[in-house]
Every structure is written in C-alpha cells, then in structure tokens.
C-alpha cells in the first residue's frame, strides 16, 4: 500500500478482500517529532493526522502472518504496525 492522499483510512482497505479490515497498533513505530509538533501547533485530531500526514508511514505491506518475519528480515527499517481482522475498516489501538 502506497499511503497517499486519504492516508490509512482510504488506502489500506483498497488492498483487502471484502469483509476484512485492519487494526493498527498506535505506538508500534516511532512518530517523528515534526508530526507531533504539527499536531500540537495546529490542534489537529489524531484521525486527521493519519488521514493527511500518515504519521510518517509511507508504505505498508500486507503479508500473511507466516511471512511476516521473512518480510521484516528483507526490508530495512520495517516493523509490524498492525494486523488484518475480520471487520471492515481501519481501527487503532494504543500499545
């Protein structure tokens, strides 16, 4: 998933079959200080930060749980930021 306009909410569901969604683990990656600063100075809601600025995430790979470790080994700076769930849409949980 190339996270472009529409951020997490519009882009991730496009690559999933109907009936599936994702649960994103907020806090599973380091958000750069510039995003925290913009949010604070602009009084921007979390949802809008993820929709507009992606909180520093530019590309997301959706792989099976069995392939996750291999993908991490192959991709520099990769991390697991969530999981596919049996519920459409994008939800966030704090870790």
């Amino acid at each position: 998933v190339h996270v472009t306009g529409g951020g997490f909410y519009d882009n991730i569901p496009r690559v999933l079959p109907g009936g599936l969604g994702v649960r994103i683990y907020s806090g599973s990656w380091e958000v750069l200080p510039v995003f925290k600063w913009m949010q604070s100075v602009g009084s921007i809601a979390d949802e809008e930060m993820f929709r507009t600025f992606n909180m520093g995430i530019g590309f997301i790979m959706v792989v099976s749980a069995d392939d996750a470790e291999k993908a991490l080994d192959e991709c520099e700076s990769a991390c697991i930021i969530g999981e596919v769930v049996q519920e459409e849409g994008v939800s966030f949980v704090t870790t």
Side-chain angles (χ1 to χ4, degrees):
V1 178
H2 182 204
V3 186
T4 58
F8 283 61
Y9 297 101
D10 292 344
N11 291 287
I12 299 172
R14 291 182 192 154
V15 303
L16 300 173
L20 297 180
V22 293
R23 181 175 300 124
I24 302 294
Y25 307 131
S26 299
S28 60
W29 71 95
E30 184 178 343
V31 176
L32 297 175
V34 67
F35 295 107
K36 295 174 185 177
W37 175 82
M38 285 189 311
Q39 185 172 23
S40 175
V41 169
S43 299
I44 303 170
D46 287 345
E47 183 174 339
E48 189 60 27
M49 289 298 295
F50 282 99
R51 180 178 307 283
T52 304
F53 300 107
N54 312 328
M55 300 304 277
I57 300 293
F59 190 80
I60 296 172
M61 292 188 332
V62 180
V63 301
S64 71
D66 292 339
D67 292 330
E69 286 302 319
K70 183 177 179 182
L72 289 173
D73 290 343
E74 295 293 326
C75 300
E76 186 177 324
S77 302
C79 63
I80 295 174
I81 66 166
E83 64 182 321
V84 175
V85 295
Q86 294 284 331
E87 180 179 324
E88 289 187 354
V90 177
S91 63
F92 290 83
V93 295
T94 304
T95 57

